[in-house]
Amino acid sequence: RLVIADARQVDLGIVAGTKFPETTTGNTGDGLIPRDPAVLTRVIAAFNGGFKTMHGAFGMMVRGREIVRPKASFATVGRFKDGRLGFGTWKKETKGDVFESYRQNLVPLIENGVINPTGEQKWGITPLGDDPVYTYRAAVGTTGAGQIIYAWGNATSAPLLAKAMALGGCVYAIHLDMNWGHTRFEWYRVYDEASLPGKLKEKMYDHGGVKFQARRMDPE
């Protein structure tokens, strides 16, 4: 499944969990989408991030707080301090202080439109007893027109997921987390008091005073 969003209308935020990825700097995440009403009431979806620190120590910064230091040669999605969103491979000369947030994970799945440009053979690991190649996988990237693209598949390999993204116009992609339970995309609609409807066809949730509806992209 592919979800494509117009980056002129939809923004991409980065949030760290309270435990994962494990910090290498002493800074930790809060696991929360910002509660600023200007942000919260515009939330339309959320999806999984990358690997735990123990599985590669890929860099992460959230709103100026570095949680895991970045490393060269790894695929990165980042938000610059001026608000721009960028996808690319971190280089030795890349300056981290120009970013507000970023997340790395593995080498590029797609770069300049080329699938697996580094010839990587091992895209993560699966639990013992599971197929070592075909499993639940997720990725995020950008199209040539600057759109954001998220991909999810079950019983899929990394090259197959990349091929689907390329067919969707993706020119740069980052392999995210994998395996059952670690890949998820959920649609949200968050309400403020002024926009609460009288009758709802779907269940309304209330978490800490935040009223919202939620739906999985796929039942699996």
Side-chain angles (χ1 to χ4, degrees), residues 38-106:
V39 175
L40 192 60
T41 57
R42 295 184 64 242
V43 171
I44 60 172
F47 57 84
N48 63 281
F51 292 170
K52 294 179 180 180
T53 301
M54 64 185 291
H55 295 146
F58 302 110
M60 188 170 197
M61 176 189 282
V62 178
R63 297 190 291 278
R65 291 170 58 84
E66 189 178 74
I67 294 170
V68 181
R69 293 185 175 88
K71 297 192 293 187
S73 303
F74 290 115
T76 308
V77 54
R79 170 183 298 287
F80 294 96
K81 288 182 177 179
D82 63 9
R84 292 178 298 124
L85 186 68
F87 289 83
T89 303
W90 197 282
K91 297 179 172 55
K92 290 183 179 179
E93 62 269 24
T94 302
K95 297 185 182 300
D97 59 2
V98 302
F99 290 95
E100 177 217 62
S101 302
Y102 55 74
R103 182 65 161 117
Q104 298 183 309
N105 208 60
L106 294 173

Side-chain angles (χ1 to χ4, degrees), residues 119-156:
E120 181 67 35
Q121 295 296 310
K122 190 173 183 180
W123 297 92
I125 58 174
T126 57
L128 291 176
D130 285 3
D131 190 300
V133 175
Y134 295 93
T135 184
Y136 293 84
R137 295 181 185 272
V140 66
T142 183
T143 68
Q147 298 157 312
I148 302 165
I149 183 168
Y150 173 88
W152 175 89
N154 61 354
T156 188

Side-chain angles (χ1 to χ4, degrees), residues 164-210:
M165 297 180 80
L167 289 172
C170 189
V171 296
Y172 192 94
I174 302 167
H175 189 295
L176 296 177
D177 215 342
M178 56 188 282
N179 298 320
W180 186 89
H182 296 165
T183 61
R184 180 164 299 194
F185 185 107
E186 295 179 342
W187 296 107
Y188 289 102
R189 183 168 183 178
V190 182
Y191 296 95
D192 57 23
E193 293 301 324
S195 65
L196 279 172
K199 293 184 179 181
L200 293 172
K201 293 182 179 180
E202 296 188 31
K203 181 179 179 180
M204 173 80 78
Y205 298 89
D206 189 323
H207 180 74
V210 178

